[in-house]
């Protein structure tokens, strides 16, 4: 049995024919066959449908013949085009008004202004327009900047930014998070979570990942739950987390139950490896000899009271500074864990190949023997240098390690 023949559009005359304009007062507009008399469109672009529509509804137009009929078709086509342009123009004005309201809402949010400021901005714009361009006043009246509208616009912008960040987060090879907690004016703790990541092309991403309010308890468990929710909502994988940085709050730091320790444990359970750090405050040295060169306030006191005996205070200052140095050293010990990796990332041509992991030694030696790569390392920034490396498997292990270290070497 022969297979049935497929129906073809060409054989059924489903393409618009120019002669249908004069014969049936139809015109093709945006892929549709539109009647110029009643502005209706036929379901299927076929001559039979056009003919039936014309004969059924517009038989009276048969009185137009010859040049008169052609002129009538042109007039109707021009009228329909003008009508469509009018609606397009009105739609474009409304679209521009909506875009303008988003831009104003964005500025209000960026500068921390109250949402009610939108109405004031609109009044100012209208007043200026009334003086300079009176014919454009109605266009500015179309811009909605009420308090509720501004709030909705900012919510839309925030949601869009989250979607963009989520899409970008899926491309990250490694990332780290930095957490900070602050108490606002209502005595509510706000947990700020920042993200820094690097993708396969060594392009860095730095964004505010999330801000979450803790209205009840503020223990390490509460904070780790907030962090976990933010990380997982963005589709980030725990095994790609290579570093966590916190402030010195008790809920953040600690050996077992604090947030940083819990994050490290979570990463380890997922098969990853991460380092833990907390913030560093630079402290000045060595008052033993009462040298106040690096202490401007103390220098002013010595200058103002040259005859005063401040030596009795020296031991107190020395004790305070020594305590700060001790704390400084304790905080820097987090960096000693990754010192070799940081040096390998920042100065790969000065690192002894025997001191790095065995899996990286051959690639490192090959890199160090390439004079062209040495020149590129001197001329380019570190991200640009690693982007310039061969994307094949030549430095696959080394590049993977550098991506992880780049996040930690912020």
């Amino acid at each position: 049995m022969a297979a049935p023949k497929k129906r073809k559009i060409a054989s059924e005359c489903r393409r618009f024919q120019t002669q249908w304009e004069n014969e049936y007062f139809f015109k093709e507009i945006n892929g549709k066959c539109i009647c110029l008399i009643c502005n209706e469109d036929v379901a299927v672009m076929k001559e039979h449908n056009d003919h039936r529509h014309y004969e059924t509804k517009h038989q009276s137009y048969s009185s137009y013949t010859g040049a008169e009929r052609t002129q009538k078709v042109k007039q109707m086509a021009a009228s329909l085009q003008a009508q469509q342009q009018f609606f397009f123009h009105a739609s474009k004005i409304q679209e521009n008004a909506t875009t303008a309201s988003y831009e104003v809402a964005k500025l209000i949010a960026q500068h921390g202004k109250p949402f009610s400021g939108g109405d004031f901005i609109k009044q100012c714009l209208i007043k200026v327009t009334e003086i300079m361009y009176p014919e454009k006043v109605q266009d500015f009246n179309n811009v909605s900047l009420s308090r509720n509208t501004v709030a909705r616009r900012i919510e839309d912008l925030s949601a869009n930014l989250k979607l963009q960040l989520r899409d970008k987060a899926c491309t990250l090879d490694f990332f780290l998070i930095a957490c900070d907690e602050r108490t606002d004016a209502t005595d509510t703790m706000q947990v700020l979570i920042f993200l820094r990541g690097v993708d396969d092309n060594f392009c860095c991403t730095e964004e505010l990942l999330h801000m979450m309010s803790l209205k009840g308890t503020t223990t390490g468990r509460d904070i780790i739950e907030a962090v976990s929710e933010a990380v997982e909502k963005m589709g980030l994988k725990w095994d790609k987390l290579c570093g966590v940085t916190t402030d010195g709050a008790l809920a953040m730091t600690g050996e077992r139950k604090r947030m940083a320790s819990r994050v490290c444990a979570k990463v380890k359970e997922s098969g990853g490896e991460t380092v833990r750090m907390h913030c560093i405050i630079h402290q000045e040295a060595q008052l033993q000899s009462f040298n106040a060169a690096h202490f401007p306030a103390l220098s002013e006191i010595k200058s103002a009271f040259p005859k005063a005996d401040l030596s009795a205070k020296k031991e107190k200052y020395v004790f305070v500074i020594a305590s700060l140095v001790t704390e400084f050293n304790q905080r820097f010990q987090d960096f000693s864990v990754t010192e070799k990796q940081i040096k390998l990332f920042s100065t790969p041509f000065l690192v002894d190949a025997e001191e790095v992991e065995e899996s990286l030694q051959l690639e490192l030696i090959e890199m160090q023997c390439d004079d062209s790569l040495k020149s590129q390392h001197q001329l380019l920034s570190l991200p640009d240098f690693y982007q310039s490396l061969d994307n094949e498997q030549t430095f696959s292990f080394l590049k993977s390690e550098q991506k992880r270290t780049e996040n930690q070497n912020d």
Side-chain angles (χ1 to χ4, degrees):
M1 182 176 179
K5 294 183 179 180
K6 294 183 179 180
R7 300 170 62 185
K8 296 182 179 180
I9 293 178
S11 63
E12 296 184 358
C13 300
R14 293 192 184 183
R15 295 179 180 176
F16 186 83
Q17 307 296 322
T18 55
Q19 62 267 24
W20 296 351
E21 294 183 7
N22 280 351
E23 292 179 5
Y24 312 118
F25 286 84
F26 271 86
K27 188 174 182 65
E28 183 181 18
I29 300 176
N30 296 328
K32 293 184 177 181
C33 200
I34 306 295
C35 176
L36 296 175
I37 302 172
C38 63
N39 295 340
E40 292 183 5
D41 63 280
V42 295
V44 181
M45 192 181 296
K46 296 177 63 175
E47 183 177 9
H48 172 72
N49 293 339
D50 294 352
H51 176 75
R52 183 177 60 182
H53 177 91
Y54 175 75
E55 291 290 336
T56 302
K57 298 184 177 183
H58 308 300
Q59 185 62 35
S60 60
Y61 281 80
S62 299
S63 59
Y64 293 97
T65 59
E68 184 184 13
R69 188 180 184 90
T70 302
Q71 184 63 27
K72 188 67 174 178
V73 169
K74 290 182 178 180
Q75 290 177 355
M76 289 183 170
S79 176
L80 178 61
Q81 184 178 8
Q83 183 180 4
Q84 289 181 332
Q85 287 179 346
F86 172 79
F87 287 113
F88 173 79
H89 181 66
S91 175
K92 189 64 176 177
I93 291 177
Q94 185 57 47
E95 181 182 340
N96 291 339
T98 301
T99 302
S101 68
Y102 272 104
E103 291 295 332
V104 173
K106 178 181 176 182
L107 291 174
I108 290 175
Q110 287 177 337
H111 292 81
K113 300 299 182 180
F115 295 169
S116 57
D119 285 327
F120 175 72
I121 294 174
K122 182 176 180 178
Q123 292 176 13
C124 294
L125 289 174
I126 292 177
K127 184 60 65 175
V128 172
T129 308
E130 287 176 348
I131 298 173
M132 299 185 65
Y133 306 101
E135 71 280 4
K136 297 291 185 180
V137 171
Q138 185 56 43
D139 293 346
F140 284 94
N141 277 325
N142 293 331
V143 181
S144 178
L145 291 175
S146 66
R147 179 186 178 88
N148 291 336
T149 299
V150 171
R152 289 197 304 269
R153 297 289 188 254
I154 293 176
E155 289 175 356
D156 292 343
L157 292 172
S158 176
N160 182 261
L161 289 174
K162 285 184 178 180
L163 289 176
Q164 293 184 46
L165 181 57
R166 183 178 299 167
D167 293 339
K168 191 176 293 185
C170 296
T171 67
L172 299 180
D173 287 349
F174 295 101
F175 70 96
L176 63 78
I177 56 174
C179 302
D180 191 14
E181 48 88 14
R182 288 288 184 270
T183 303
D184 61 16
T186 62
D187 202 30
T188 300
M189 176 181 284
Q190 305 290 345
V191 178
L192 304 174
I193 307 171
F194 298 89
L195 169 75
R196 186 173 192 266
V198 59
D199 62 15
D200 188 55
N201 294 320
F202 283 87
C203 294
C204 294
T205 298
E206 294 183 356
E207 295 288 348
L208 173 63
L209 182 63
H210 196 54
M211 183 180 75
M212 186 172 294
S213 301
L214 299 181
K215 299 184 182 296
T217 58
T218 56
T219 63
R221 174 178 296 179
D222 298 318
I223 298 177
I224 185 60
E225 289 178 356
V227 172
S228 299
E229 181 180 347
V231 169
E232 291 167 4
K233 273 188 175 181
M234 282 296 162
L236 295 165
K237 304 299 182 182
W238 286 104
D239 59 343
K240 294 184 178 182
L241 176 60
C242 61
V244 54
T245 304
T246 65
D247 61 13
L250 290 177
M252 294 288 190
T253 60
E255 291 300 323
R256 296 181 60 187
K257 296 185 178 181
R258 304 309 180 188
M259 192 280 291
S261 300
R262 290 174 179 267
V263 169
C264 293
K266 200 173 185 70
V267 173
K268 188 174 182 180
E269 291 175 0
S270 302
E273 182 180 357
T274 188
V275 295
R276 177 179 56 187
M277 303 177 188
H278 56 276
C279 62
I280 300 169
I281 302 176
H282 180 66
Q283 309 291 354
E284 300 293 342
Q286 322 300 345
L287 283 176
Q288 192 66 40
S289 60
F290 215 62
N291 182 358
H294 300 292
F295 298 86
L298 184 57
S299 298
E300 291 179 5
I301 294 175
K302 290 181 65 177
S303 300
F305 305 95
K307 297 182 179 181
D309 184 11
L310 300 177
S311 58
K313 300 289 185 179
K314 180 179 67 173
E315 295 303 325
K316 177 182 177 181
Y317 298 146
V318 171
F319 174 77
V320 172
I321 296 300
S323 300
L324 292 176
V325 169
T326 301
E327 181 181 357
F328 187 62
N329 290 332
Q330 289 176 348
R331 297 200 175 198
F332 251 124
Q333 70 182 0
D334 296 333
F335 286 86
S336 63
V337 177
T338 59
E339 182 179 5
K340 290 184 179 179
Q341 290 93 327
I342 293 175
K343 286 184 177 179
L344 177 61
F345 171 72
S346 59
T347 57
F349 294 95
L350 301 179
V351 175
D352 187 349
E354 295 183 357
E355 296 181 357
V356 303
E357 296 180 14
E358 293 181 355
S359 60
L360 306 176
Q361 288 179 353
L362 291 179
E363 290 186 0
L364 181 61
I365 292 173
E366 184 175 352
M367 177 183 289
Q368 292 176 344
C369 293
D370 193 326
D371 292 335
S372 63
L373 291 181
K374 289 182 180 179
S375 300
Q376 291 183 33
H377 183 264
Q378 294 175 353
L379 296 174
L380 302 176
S381 65
L382 285 176
D384 290 341
F385 169 72
Y386 287 110
Q387 288 179 14
S388 68
L389 295 181
D390 188 2
N391 288 327
E392 301 298 329
Q393 298 298 320
T394 309
F395 301 107
S396 57
F397 290 107
L398 190 59
K399 289 184 70 174
S400 178
E401 183 66 20
Q402 306 303 37
K403 290 173 189 174
R404 178 189 296 272
T405 306
E406 182 179 14
N407 263 338
Q408 299 170 355
N409 189 27
D410 184 11

